[in-house]
Amino acid sequence: MAKAFASQGDMTEKTITFDEVGRGLYAFTAEGDPNSGVIIGDDSVMIVEAQATPRLAHKVIERVRSVTDKPISHVVLTHYHAVRVLGSSAYGADQIIMSDTARAMVAERGQEDWDSEFQRFPRLFEGYESIPGLTWPTTTFSESMTVYLGQRRVDIRHLGRAHTAGDAVIHVPDENVMFTGDIVEDHSACYCGDGHFADWGKTLDRIASYDVDAIAPGRGGALVGREAVARAIHSTRDFVDSTYRPAARVAARGGALKDAWDAVRAACDPKFADYAIYEHCLPFNVSRAYDEARGMDTPRIWTDTRDLEMWEALQG
């Protein structure tokens, strides 16, 4: 029987957790599914990551309403991927914030990414018929911006390329907590299909320099305490490096993509095979690592057709 592509066969509903990672700061997590964050200010609430559909966004809203009745005024999207942004309309926020680069990527490849991700992981698009269209920000920034939720300061920064070219992180100084999007994961595979391997480690260094007390990562459990933060940054770095180096060695000697696949599996399977969405991410990660090692700085656009062609090539 042929192996299911990506997560097409994953129809198991995950258990949701809603953990306080600082005063008025929460991580909405679901066993390796995309996380969201909640920042409660004096008069209103900021959401970090919207989920893939309005129906799934309402699961976040239910948890928000269990701790506050303040209106949701802002949604911050750390990057452009469909599973992170297409549920934005559910929150009724006046401000939807992305980096300039993330907005440009919606324009360049947003629809293709939506089509591709829908094919890869249908369970994450529960209620897809409620999506009104591509999500466009009302506000963008180049390197940094600050939002005040009353007296609570929220700093939004682009610290460098990693998971995508336009990644943002959100830092709440009064509690020294950061929401990192998919730059940092915990016991979950990093999706590197649109990533920048050569830059990812430097961006992790910049996150580490904040010396935060807690991180709400893109996937995986909330990271509370500096030991947990350091461990997740280290394991993320190890995952990225362990993916890129074998693929780069194959590319340097003129080997084929299938050779890179075999080399990356040999390096990563013993360490990461039990990580959430590992098998889902691996073919995209190997393809991107192989391309970057051969000098392709800008990731190619994934489409539903290209996805399956790549998968067929890797399966021989």
Side-chain angles (χ1 to χ4, degrees):
M1 182 175 177
K3 186 176 180 181
F5 169 64
S7 293
Q8 289 178 346
D10 179 1
M11 302 305 292
T12 304
E13 189 164 350
K14 307 302 182 183
T15 300
I16 293 171
T17 59
F18 193 61
D19 297 317
E20 192 167 19
V21 294
R23 180 184 56 85
L25 306 172
Y26 294 87
F28 175 101
T29 68
E31 297 185 278
D33 278 0
N35 294 344
S36 290
V38 177
I39 301 171
I40 301 175
D42 296 329
D43 302 312
S44 67
V45 177
M46 175 183 286
I47 302 295
V48 179
E49 312 288 43
Q51 299 287 312
T53 70
R55 183 182 297 177
L56 292 174
H58 279 290
K59 295 184 178 183
V60 179
I61 294 169
E62 288 174 5
R63 298 304 174 110
V64 172
R65 291 295 163 242
S66 73
V67 294
T68 183
D69 60 0
K70 295 173 183 176
I72 296 170
S73 56
H74 297 75
V75 173
V76 180
L77 304 171
T78 67
H79 59 287
Y80 73 97
H81 283 155
V83 293
R84 298 296 184 179
V85 308
L86 293 179
S88 295
S89 62
Y91 298 96
D94 291 333
Q95 296 292 318
I96 298 176
I97 300 169
M98 286 183 182
S99 71
D100 291 333
T101 301
R103 187 193 186 282
M105 297 181 86
V106 173
E108 177 192 41
R109 58 183 69 196
Q111 185 62 56
E112 291 84 353
D113 179 75
W114 179 356
D115 295 342
S116 171
E117 292 200 59
F118 183 81
Q119 172 181 253
R120 299 179 199 178
F121 214 148
R123 179 175 58 78
L124 292 184
F125 289 85
E126 176 188 330
Y128 65 89
E129 65 279 358
S130 63
I131 301 170
L134 291 173
T135 296
W136 297 96
T138 62
T139 304
T140 64
F141 66 95
S142 177
E143 298 299 326
S144 66
M145 69 177 290
T146 297
V147 174
Y148 286 91
L149 302 174
Q151 294 301 308
R152 171 159 261 180
R153 173 176 169 171
V154 181
D155 294 327
I156 307 169
R157 303 283 186 260
H158 172 63
L159 298 180
R161 303 190 303 183
H163 175 68
T164 72
D167 295 332
V169 302
I170 297 87
H171 183 236
V172 184
D174 64 64
E175 288 291 304
N176 198 27
V177 170
M178 185 173 283
F179 300 80
T180 63
D182 287 318
I183 303 174
V184 177
E185 312 284 31
D186 184 44
H187 212 76
S188 180
C190 300
Y191 174 73
C192 310
D194 301 298
H196 296 269
F197 288 93
D199 293 353
W200 204 314
K202 292 176 283 189
T203 303
L204 288 173
D205 289 341
R206 295 181 187 115
I207 289 172
S209 73
Y210 278 74
D211 198 21
V212 295
D213 294 314
I215 280 177
R219 293 177 186 265
L223 303 164
V224 179
R226 296 186 180 189
E227 183 177 340
V229 167
R231 172 184 55 77
I233 290 174
H234 172 77
S235 65
T236 298
R237 188 190 308 274
D238 187 28
F239 186 96
V240 171
D241 290 347
S242 297
T243 301
Y244 183 68
R245 287 171 180 164
R249 286 194 290 268
V250 169
R253 66 172 185 262
L257 177 62
K258 181 64 167 62
D259 300 323
W261 166 259
D262 293 338
V264 172
R265 291 216 75 127
C268 289
D269 283 6
K271 294 191 284 187
F272 308 117
D274 65 338
Y275 276 27
I277 66 166
Y278 175 72
E279 294 291 343
H280 173 109
C281 292
L282 197 65
F284 302 96
N285 294 357
V286 172
S287 182
R288 172 58 190 151
Y290 183 72
D291 281 352
E292 184 171 322
R294 293 186 302 152
M296 190 176 295
D297 183 66
T298 300
R300 288 189 284 163
I301 296 174
W302 291 102
T303 68
D304 49 4
T305 301
R306 183 189 165 211
D307 291 353
L308 295 178
E309 289 174 348
M310 174 268 295
W311 179 241
E312 289 170 2
L314 291 176
Q315 296 307 297

